[in-house]
Amino acid sequence: MGNWSGAEKSYVKAVELLDRASVQDIDQDFASLLNKLGTVRLWQKDFAGAETSHRRALTIYRKTRGADDLRVADTLDLVAVALFEQPHGHEL
């Protein structure tokens, strides 16, 4: 609990391993992992890193579930939070 740095390292390693697999663009488990990594980065105030992770997850969910799916909406909200917290995010 609260070991965000350790959690991030574990998630990054898992993402790197799955990145080598050929199915990551359609794998919803991979998208879920990316969202978890993004959330850890939000807690660490790495908002640009969080945005990147959440956007990758969003792309996968849009491809596999369609634009009207709840996971797409949830992930879009996470992207918005990451954007809002960045410099000039309030202007967006």
Side-chain angles (χ1 to χ4, degrees), residues 2-12 32-47 49-51 53-54 78:
N3 184 3
W4 300 116
S5 178
E8 181 183 23
K9 287 177 186 175
S10 295
Y11 284 132
V12 166
S32 177
L33 181 66
L34 287 166
N35 270 340
K36 290 176 184 177
L37 174 60
T39 299
V40 167
R41 288 179 170 165
L42 280 173
W43 278 99
Q44 293 181 301
K45 303 200 182 312
D46 175 9
F47 303 118
E51 177 192 352
S53 295
H54 292 312
L78 292 169

PDB file of all heavy atoms in Angstrom, residues 2-12 32-47 49-51 53-54 78:
ATOM      1  N   GLY A   2       0.631   2.091  -0.966  1.00  0.00           N
ATOM      2  CA  GLY A   2       1.357   3.341  -1.051  1.00  0.00           C
ATOM      3  C   GLY A   2       2.727   3.248  -1.683  1.00  0.00           C
ATOM      4  O   GLY A   2       3.411   4.244  -1.802  1.00  0.00           O
ATOM      5  N   ASN A   3       3.147   2.064  -2.088  1.00  0.00           N
ATOM      6  CA  ASN A   3       4.446   1.909  -2.747  1.00  0.00           C
ATOM      7  C   ASN A   3       4.256   2.120  -4.243  1.00  0.00           C
ATOM      8  O   ASN A   3       4.353   1.188  -5.038  1.00  0.00           O
ATOM      9  CB  ASN A   3       5.049   0.526  -2.451  1.00  0.00           C
ATOM     10  CG  ASN A   3       6.435   0.359  -3.045  1.00  0.00           C
ATOM     11  OD1 ASN A   3       6.982   1.280  -3.641  1.00  0.00           O
ATOM     12  ND2 ASN A   3       6.993  -0.821  -2.892  1.00  0.00           N
ATOM     13  N   TRP A   4       3.993   3.362  -4.630  1.00  0.00           N
ATOM     14  CA  TRP A   4       3.677   3.675  -6.017  1.00  0.00           C
ATOM     15  C   TRP A   4       4.860   3.428  -6.932  1.00  0.00           C
ATOM     16  O   TRP A   4       4.678   2.969  -8.064  1.00  0.00           O
ATOM     17  CB  TRP A   4       3.183   5.111  -6.131  1.00  0.00           C
ATOM     18  CG  TRP A   4       1.949   5.349  -5.315  1.00  0.00           C
ATOM     19  CD1 TRP A   4       1.823   6.189  -4.240  1.00  0.00           C
ATOM     20  CD2 TRP A   4       0.687   4.708  -5.459  1.00  0.00           C
ATOM     21  NE1 TRP A   4       0.562   6.104  -3.722  1.00  0.00           N
ATOM     22  CE2 TRP A   4      -0.171   5.201  -4.451  1.00  0.00           C
ATOM     23  CE3 TRP A   4       0.180   3.754  -6.330  1.00  0.00           C
ATOM     24  CZ2 TRP A   4      -1.483   4.789  -4.303  1.00  0.00           C
ATOM     25  CZ3 TRP A   4      -1.141   3.338  -6.181  1.00  0.00           C
ATOM     26  CH2 TRP A   4      -1.947   3.858  -5.178  1.00  0.00           C
ATOM     27  N   SER A   5       6.048   3.700  -6.457  1.00  0.00           N
ATOM     28  CA  SER A   5       7.235   3.480  -7.280  1.00  0.00           C
ATOM     29  C   SER A   5       7.404   1.995  -7.605  1.00  0.00           C
ATOM     30  O   SER A   5       7.679   1.625  -8.749  1.00  0.00           O
ATOM     31  CB  SER A   5       8.474   4.019  -6.556  1.00  0.00           C
ATOM     32  OG  SER A   5       9.629   3.768  -7.307  1.00  0.00           O
ATOM     33  N   GLY A   6       7.237   1.150  -6.612  1.00  0.00           N
ATOM     34  CA  GLY A   6       7.337  -0.288  -6.833  1.00  0.00           C
ATOM     35  C   GLY A   6       6.240  -0.796  -7.747  1.00  0.00           C
ATOM     36  O   GLY A   6       6.476  -1.649  -8.615  1.00  0.00           O
ATOM     37  N   ALA A   7       5.045  -0.275  -7.549  1.00  0.00           N
ATOM     38  CA  ALA A   7       3.925  -0.666  -8.411  1.00  0.00           C
ATOM     39  C   ALA A   7       4.183  -0.253  -9.851  1.00  0.00           C
ATOM     40  O   ALA A   7       3.942  -1.030 -10.780  1.00  0.00           O
ATOM     41  CB  ALA A   7       2.631  -0.044  -7.902  1.00  0.00           C
ATOM     42  N   GLU A   8       4.690   0.958 -10.024  1.00  0.00           N
ATOM     43  CA  GLU A   8       4.964   1.426 -11.386  1.00  0.00           C
ATOM     44  C   GLU A   8       5.998   0.532 -12.065  1.00  0.00           C
ATOM     45  O   GLU A   8       5.833   0.151 -13.226  1.00  0.00           O
ATOM     46  CB  GLU A   8       5.447   2.874 -11.390  1.00  0.00           C
ATOM     47  CG  GLU A   8       5.713   3.374 -12.806  1.00  0.00           C
ATOM     48  CD  GLU A   8       6.267   4.776 -12.873  1.00  0.00           C
ATOM     49  OE1 GLU A   8       6.866   5.248 -11.884  1.00  0.00           O
ATOM     50  OE2 GLU A   8       6.113   5.394 -13.928  1.00  0.00           O
ATOM     51  N   LYS A   9       7.058   0.178 -11.354  1.00  0.00           N
ATOM     52  CA  LYS A   9       8.084  -0.693 -11.937  1.00  0.00           C
ATOM     53  C   LYS A   9       7.493  -2.027 -12.376  1.00  0.00           C
ATOM     54  O   LYS A   9       7.810  -2.533 -13.453  1.00  0.00           O
ATOM     55  CB  LYS A   9       9.220  -0.918 -10.939  1.00  0.00           C
ATOM     56  CG  LYS A   9      10.097   0.289 -10.747  1.00  0.00           C
ATOM     57  CD  LYS A   9      11.168   0.043  -9.698  1.00  0.00           C
ATOM     58  CE  LYS A   9      11.930   1.324  -9.416  1.00  0.00           C
ATOM     59  NZ  LYS A   9      12.891   1.175  -8.337  1.00  0.00           N
ATOM     60  N   SER A  10       6.626  -2.586 -11.559  1.00  0.00           N
ATOM     61  CA  SER A  10       5.996  -3.863 -11.898  1.00  0.00           C
ATOM     62  C   SER A  10       5.094  -3.724 -13.120  1.00  0.00           C
ATOM     63  O   SER A  10       5.129  -4.575 -14.020  1.00  0.00           O
ATOM     64  CB  SER A  10       5.186  -4.388 -10.715  1.00  0.00           C
ATOM     65  OG  SER A  10       6.034  -4.686  -9.634  1.00  0.00           O
ATOM     66  N   TYR A  11       4.297  -2.670 -13.152  1.00  0.00           N
ATOM     67  CA  TYR A  11       3.416  -2.463 -14.298  1.00  0.00           C
ATOM     68  C   TYR A  11       4.210  -2.192 -15.572  1.00  0.00           C
ATOM     69  O   TYR A  11       3.862  -2.683 -16.644  1.00  0.00           O
ATOM     70  CB  TYR A  11       2.432  -1.320 -14.042  1.00  0.00           C
ATOM     71  CG  TYR A  11       1.296  -1.679 -13.119  1.00  0.00           C
ATOM     72  CD1 TYR A  11       0.949  -0.846 -12.064  1.00  0.00           C
ATOM     73  CD2 TYR A  11       0.553  -2.844 -13.304  1.00  0.00           C
ATOM     74  CE1 TYR A  11      -0.103  -1.161 -11.222  1.00  0.00           C
ATOM     75  CE2 TYR A  11      -0.495  -3.172 -12.462  1.00  0.00           C
ATOM     76  CZ  TYR A  11      -0.818  -2.323 -11.424  1.00  0.00           C
ATOM     77  OH  TYR A  11      -1.858  -2.640 -10.589  1.00  0.00           O
ATOM     78  N   VAL A  12       5.262  -1.400 -15.466  1.00  0.00           N
ATOM     79  CA  VAL A  12       6.089  -1.112 -16.642  1.00  0.00           C
ATOM     80  C   VAL A  12       6.697  -2.398 -17.184  1.00  0.00           C
ATOM     81  O   VAL A  12       6.699  -2.635 -18.397  1.00  0.00           O
ATOM     82  CB  VAL A  12       7.183  -0.066 -16.319  1.00  0.00           C
ATOM     83  CG1 VAL A  12       8.243  -0.003 -17.407  1.00  0.00           C
ATOM     84  CG2 VAL A  12       6.552   1.309 -16.115  1.00  0.00           C
ATOM     85  N   SER A  32      -6.453  -2.963 -19.665  1.00  0.00           N
ATOM     86  CA  SER A  32      -6.668  -2.815 -18.230  1.00  0.00           C
ATOM     87  C   SER A  32      -5.347  -2.554 -17.505  1.00  0.00           C
ATOM     88  O   SER A  32      -5.266  -1.700 -16.616  1.00  0.00           O
ATOM     89  CB  SER A  32      -7.342  -4.071 -17.682  1.00  0.00           C
ATOM     90  OG  SER A  32      -7.498  -3.984 -16.300  1.00  0.00           O
ATOM     91  N   LEU A  33      -4.318  -3.273 -17.888  1.00  0.00           N
ATOM     92  CA  LEU A  33      -2.986  -3.078 -17.305  1.00  0.00           C
ATOM     93  C   LEU A  33      -2.482  -1.661 -17.584  1.00  0.00           C
ATOM     94  O   LEU A  33      -1.928  -1.004 -16.706  1.00  0.00           O
ATOM     95  CB  LEU A  33      -2.021  -4.119 -17.862  1.00  0.00           C
ATOM     96  CG  LEU A  33      -0.598  -4.075 -17.354  1.00  0.00           C
ATOM     97  CD1 LEU A  33      -0.539  -4.408 -15.872  1.00  0.00           C
ATOM     98  CD2 LEU A  33       0.268  -5.048 -18.142  1.00  0.00           C
ATOM     99  N   LEU A  34      -2.692  -1.181 -18.803  1.00  0.00           N
ATOM    100  CA  LEU A  34      -2.280   0.186 -19.142  1.00  0.00           C
ATOM    101  C   LEU A  34      -3.022   1.212 -18.289  1.00  0.00           C
ATOM    102  O   LEU A  34      -2.427   2.202 -17.847  1.00  0.00           O
ATOM    103  CB  LEU A  34      -2.531   0.456 -20.628  1.00  0.00           C
ATOM    104  CG  LEU A  34      -1.582  -0.235 -21.591  1.00  0.00           C
ATOM    105  CD1 LEU A  34      -2.133  -0.173 -23.011  1.00  0.00           C
ATOM    106  CD2 LEU A  34      -0.195   0.393 -21.526  1.00  0.00           C
ATOM    107  N   ASN A  35      -4.298   0.978 -18.040  1.00  0.00           N
ATOM    108  CA  ASN A  35      -5.054   1.902 -17.184  1.00  0.00           C
ATOM    109  C   ASN A  35      -4.533   1.882 -15.747  1.00  0.00           C
ATOM    110  O   ASN A  35      -4.460   2.916 -15.088  1.00  0.00           O
ATOM    111  CB  ASN A  35      -6.546   1.582 -17.215  1.00  0.00           C
ATOM    112  CG  ASN A  35      -7.268   2.318 -18.307  1.00  0.00           C
ATOM    113  OD1 ASN A  35      -6.791   3.323 -18.817  1.00  0.00           O
ATOM    114  ND2 ASN A  35      -8.431   1.828 -18.684  1.00  0.00           N
ATOM    115  N   LYS A  36      -4.160   0.701 -15.264  1.00  0.00           N
ATOM    116  CA  LYS A  36      -3.597   0.615 -13.909  1.00  0.00           C
ATOM    117  C   LYS A  36      -2.267   1.362 -13.836  1.00  0.00           C
ATOM    118  O   LYS A  36      -2.008   2.084 -12.867  1.00  0.00           O
ATOM    119  CB  LYS A  36      -3.431  -0.841 -13.498  1.00  0.00           C
ATOM    120  CG  LYS A  36      -4.758  -1.524 -13.250  1.00  0.00           C
ATOM    121  CD  LYS A  36      -4.586  -2.988 -12.947  1.00  0.00           C
ATOM    122  CE  LYS A  36      -5.956  -3.645 -12.798  1.00  0.00           C
ATOM    123  NZ  LYS A  36      -5.850  -5.084 -12.569  1.00  0.00           N
ATOM    124  N   LEU A  37      -1.428   1.191 -14.859  1.00  0.00           N
ATOM    125  CA  LEU A  37      -0.163   1.927 -14.909  1.00  0.00           C
ATOM    126  C   LEU A  37      -0.428   3.424 -14.946  1.00  0.00           C
ATOM    127  O   LEU A  37       0.212   4.200 -14.229  1.00  0.00           O
ATOM    128  CB  LEU A  37       0.655   1.490 -16.131  1.00  0.00           C
ATOM    129  CG  LEU A  37       1.936   2.275 -16.409  1.00  0.00           C
ATOM    130  CD1 LEU A  37       2.903   2.173 -15.233  1.00  0.00           C
ATOM    131  CD2 LEU A  37       2.587   1.784 -17.694  1.00  0.00           C
ATOM    132  N   GLY A  38      -1.384   3.844 -15.741  1.00  0.00           N
ATOM    133  CA  GLY A  38      -1.723   5.264 -15.811  1.00  0.00           C
ATOM    134  C   GLY A  38      -2.201   5.810 -14.473  1.00  0.00           C
ATOM    135  O   GLY A  38      -1.833   6.918 -14.076  1.00  0.00           O
ATOM    136  N   THR A  39      -2.979   5.024 -13.757  1.00  0.00           N
ATOM    137  CA  THR A  39      -3.468   5.454 -12.451  1.00  0.00           C
ATOM    138  C   THR A  39      -2.322   5.596 -11.450  1.00  0.00           C
ATOM    139  O   THR A  39      -2.283   6.563 -10.672  1.00  0.00           O
ATOM    140  CB  THR A  39      -4.532   4.464 -11.937  1.00  0.00           C
ATOM    141  OG1 THR A  39      -5.623   4.455 -12.860  1.00  0.00           O
ATOM    142  CG2 THR A  39      -5.032   4.860 -10.556  1.00  0.00           C
ATOM    143  N   VAL A  40      -1.386   4.667 -11.477  1.00  0.00           N
ATOM    144  CA  VAL A  40      -0.206   4.765 -10.609  1.00  0.00           C
ATOM    145  C   VAL A  40       0.566   6.035 -10.947  1.00  0.00           C
ATOM    146  O   VAL A  40       1.018   6.763 -10.054  1.00  0.00           O
ATOM    147  CB  VAL A  40       0.690   3.514 -10.744  1.00  0.00           C
ATOM    148  CG1 VAL A  40       2.047   3.734 -10.113  1.00  0.00           C
ATOM    149  CG2 VAL A  40       0.003   2.307 -10.126  1.00  0.00           C
ATOM    150  N   ARG A  41       0.699   6.317 -12.224  1.00  0.00           N
ATOM    151  CA  ARG A  41       1.413   7.531 -12.630  1.00  0.00           C
ATOM    152  C   ARG A  41       0.667   8.789 -12.195  1.00  0.00           C
ATOM    153  O   ARG A  41       1.288   9.793 -11.848  1.00  0.00           O
ATOM    154  CB  ARG A  41       1.656   7.509 -14.129  1.00  0.00           C
ATOM    155  CG  ARG A  41       2.723   6.491 -14.498  1.00  0.00           C
ATOM    156  CD  ARG A  41       2.975   6.408 -15.969  1.00  0.00           C
ATOM    157  NE  ARG A  41       4.171   5.596 -16.216  1.00  0.00           N
ATOM    158  CZ  ARG A  41       4.490   5.109 -17.392  1.00  0.00           C
ATOM    159  NH1 ARG A  41       3.721   5.346 -18.441  1.00  0.00           N
ATOM    160  NH2 ARG A  41       5.582   4.386 -17.531  1.00  0.00           N
ATOM    161  N   LEU A  42      -0.662   8.740 -12.208  1.00  0.00           N
ATOM    162  CA  LEU A  42      -1.430   9.878 -11.688  1.00  0.00           C
ATOM    163  C   LEU A  42      -1.103  10.116 -10.216  1.00  0.00           C
ATOM    164  O   LEU A  42      -0.907  11.255  -9.791  1.00  0.00           O
ATOM    165  CB  LEU A  42      -2.933   9.637 -11.840  1.00  0.00           C
ATOM    166  CG  LEU A  42      -3.559   9.890 -13.196  1.00  0.00           C
ATOM    167  CD1 LEU A  42      -5.016   9.442 -13.208  1.00  0.00           C
ATOM    168  CD2 LEU A  42      -3.460  11.356 -13.580  1.00  0.00           C
ATOM    169  N   TRP A  43      -1.079   9.045  -9.434  1.00  0.00           N
ATOM    170  CA  TRP A  43      -0.761   9.165  -8.005  1.00  0.00           C
ATOM    171  C   TRP A  43       0.637   9.727  -7.794  1.00  0.00           C
ATOM    172  O   TRP A  43       0.898  10.397  -6.793  1.00  0.00           O
ATOM    173  CB  TRP A  43      -0.905   7.812  -7.317  1.00  0.00           C
ATOM    174  CG  TRP A  43      -2.312   7.489  -6.960  1.00  0.00           C
ATOM    175  CD1 TRP A  43      -3.169   6.691  -7.658  1.00  0.00           C
ATOM    176  CD2 TRP A  43      -3.049   7.977  -5.848  1.00  0.00           C
ATOM    177  NE1 TRP A  43      -4.392   6.653  -7.036  1.00  0.00           N
ATOM    178  CE2 TRP A  43      -4.346   7.432  -5.917  1.00  0.00           C
ATOM    179  CE3 TRP A  43      -2.738   8.817  -4.784  1.00  0.00           C
ATOM    180  CZ2 TRP A  43      -5.332   7.699  -4.971  1.00  0.00           C
ATOM    181  CZ3 TRP A  43      -3.716   9.080  -3.843  1.00  0.00           C
ATOM    182  CH2 TRP A  43      -4.990   8.527  -3.941  1.00  0.00           C
ATOM    183  N   GLN A  44       1.547   9.450  -8.731  1.00  0.00           N
ATOM    184  CA  GLN A  44       2.911   9.955  -8.621  1.00  0.00           C
ATOM    185  C   GLN A  44       3.069  11.338  -9.253  1.00  0.00           C
ATOM    186  O   GLN A  44       4.155  11.878  -9.312  1.00  0.00           O
ATOM    187  CB  GLN A  44       3.888   8.987  -9.296  1.00  0.00           C
ATOM    188  CG  GLN A  44       4.006   7.678  -8.591  1.00  0.00           C
ATOM    189  CD  GLN A  44       5.000   6.762  -9.275  1.00  0.00           C
ATOM    190  OE1 GLN A  44       4.853   6.434 -10.442  1.00  0.00           O
ATOM    191  NE2 GLN A  44       6.013   6.373  -8.547  1.00  0.00           N
ATOM    192  N   LYS A  45       1.972  11.863  -9.753  1.00  0.00           N
ATOM    193  CA  LYS A  45       1.948  13.184 -10.385  1.00  0.00           C
ATOM    194  C   LYS A  45       2.742  13.225 -11.692  1.00  0.00           C
ATOM    195  O   LYS A  45       3.230  14.268 -12.112  1.00  0.00           O
ATOM    196  CB  LYS A  45       2.396  14.284  -9.423  1.00  0.00           C
ATOM    197  CG  LYS A  45       1.544  14.306  -8.164  1.00  0.00           C
ATOM    198  CD  LYS A  45       1.609  15.607  -7.449  1.00  0.00           C
ATOM    199  CE  LYS A  45       0.815  15.627  -6.181  1.00  0.00           C
ATOM    200  NZ  LYS A  45      -0.531  15.146  -6.215  1.00  0.00           N
ATOM    201  N   ASP A  46       2.861  12.068 -12.357  1.00  0.00           N
ATOM    202  CA  ASP A  46       3.433  11.982 -13.706  1.00  0.00           C
ATOM    203  C   ASP A  46       2.259  12.010 -14.676  1.00  0.00           C
ATOM    204  O   ASP A  46       1.836  10.993 -15.210  1.00  0.00           O
ATOM    205  CB  ASP A  46       4.247  10.689 -13.859  1.00  0.00           C
ATOM    206  CG  ASP A  46       4.770  10.489 -15.278  1.00  0.00           C
ATOM    207  OD1 ASP A  46       4.659  11.426 -16.102  1.00  0.00           O
ATOM    208  OD2 ASP A  46       5.274   9.388 -15.564  1.00  0.00           O
ATOM    209  N   PHE A  47       1.724  13.208 -14.878  1.00  0.00           N
ATOM    210  CA  PHE A  47       0.489  13.345 -15.624  1.00  0.00           C
ATOM    211  C   PHE A  47       0.666  13.061 -17.112  1.00  0.00           C
ATOM    212  O   PHE A  47      -0.228  12.493 -17.738  1.00  0.00           O
ATOM    213  CB  PHE A  47      -0.114  14.730 -15.384  1.00  0.00           C
ATOM    214  CG  PHE A  47      -0.356  14.991 -13.923  1.00  0.00           C
ATOM    215  CD1 PHE A  47       0.305  16.022 -13.271  1.00  0.00           C
ATOM    216  CD2 PHE A  47      -1.214  14.192 -13.196  1.00  0.00           C
ATOM    217  CE1 PHE A  47       0.088  16.264 -11.918  1.00  0.00           C
ATOM    218  CE2 PHE A  47      -1.436  14.412 -11.836  1.00  0.00           C
ATOM    219  CZ  PHE A  47      -0.778  15.453 -11.205  1.00  0.00           C
ATOM    220  N   GLY A  49       2.862  10.934 -18.390  1.00  0.00           N
ATOM    221  CA  GLY A  49       2.979   9.485 -18.465  1.00  0.00           C
ATOM    222  C   GLY A  49       1.632   8.807 -18.293  1.00  0.00           C
ATOM    223  O   GLY A  49       1.322   7.816 -18.974  1.00  0.00           O
ATOM    224  N   ALA A  50       0.814   9.329 -17.402  1.00  0.00           N
ATOM    225  CA  ALA A  50      -0.533   8.790 -17.195  1.00  0.00           C
ATOM    226  C   ALA A  50      -1.369   8.960 -18.457  1.00  0.00           C
ATOM    227  O   ALA A  50      -2.061   8.030 -18.883  1.00  0.00           O
ATOM    228  CB  ALA A  50      -1.203   9.499 -16.020  1.00  0.00           C
ATOM    229  N   GLU A  51      -1.278  10.128 -19.066  1.00  0.00           N
ATOM    230  CA  GLU A  51      -2.038  10.379 -20.294  1.00  0.00           C
ATOM    231  C   GLU A  51      -1.655   9.370 -21.380  1.00  0.00           C
ATOM    232  O   GLU A  51      -2.522   8.797 -22.052  1.00  0.00           O
ATOM    233  CB  GLU A  51      -1.786  11.799 -20.796  1.00  0.00           C
ATOM    234  CG  GLU A  51      -2.497  12.093 -22.099  1.00  0.00           C
ATOM    235  CD  GLU A  51      -2.035  13.385 -22.761  1.00  0.00           C
ATOM    236  OE1 GLU A  51      -1.260  14.155 -22.162  1.00  0.00           O
ATOM    237  OE2 GLU A  51      -2.463  13.598 -23.906  1.00  0.00           O
ATOM    238  N   SER A  53      -0.384   6.322 -21.095  1.00  0.00           N
ATOM    239  CA  SER A  53      -0.901   4.991 -20.776  1.00  0.00           C
ATOM    240  C   SER A  53      -2.404   4.897 -21.001  1.00  0.00           C
ATOM    241  O   SER A  53      -2.898   3.932 -21.601  1.00  0.00           O
ATOM    242  CB  SER A  53      -0.580   4.636 -19.325  1.00  0.00           C
ATOM    243  OG  SER A  53       0.802   4.533 -19.132  1.00  0.00           O
ATOM    244  N   HIS A  54      -3.122   5.896 -20.541  1.00  0.00           N
ATOM    245  CA  HIS A  54      -4.575   5.885 -20.695  1.00  0.00           C
ATOM    246  C   HIS A  54      -5.000   5.998 -22.163  1.00  0.00           C
ATOM    247  O   HIS A  54      -5.969   5.359 -22.590  1.00  0.00           O
ATOM    248  CB  HIS A  54      -5.229   6.990 -19.872  1.00  0.00           C
ATOM    249  CG  HIS A  54      -5.122   6.785 -18.395  1.00  0.00           C
ATOM    250  ND1 HIS A  54      -5.421   5.594 -17.779  1.00  0.00           N
ATOM    251  CD2 HIS A  54      -4.753   7.623 -17.401  1.00  0.00           C
ATOM    252  CE1 HIS A  54      -5.242   5.708 -16.471  1.00  0.00           C
ATOM    253  NE2 HIS A  54      -4.829   6.934 -16.225  1.00  0.00           N
ATOM    254  N   LEU A  78     -10.304   9.124 -17.527  1.00  0.00           N
ATOM    255  CA  LEU A  78      -8.938   9.077 -17.002  1.00  0.00           C
ATOM    256  C   LEU A  78      -7.993   9.936 -17.849  1.00  0.00           C
ATOM    257  O   LEU A  78      -7.116  10.621 -17.316  1.00  0.00           O
ATOM    258  CB  LEU A  78      -8.443   7.629 -16.940  1.00  0.00           C
ATOM    259  CG  LEU A  78      -9.146   6.741 -15.923  1.00  0.00           C
ATOM    260  CD1 LEU A  78      -8.771   5.275 -16.144  1.00  0.00           C
ATOM    261  CD2 LEU A  78      -8.828   7.178 -14.504  1.00  0.00           C
TER     262      LEU A  78
END
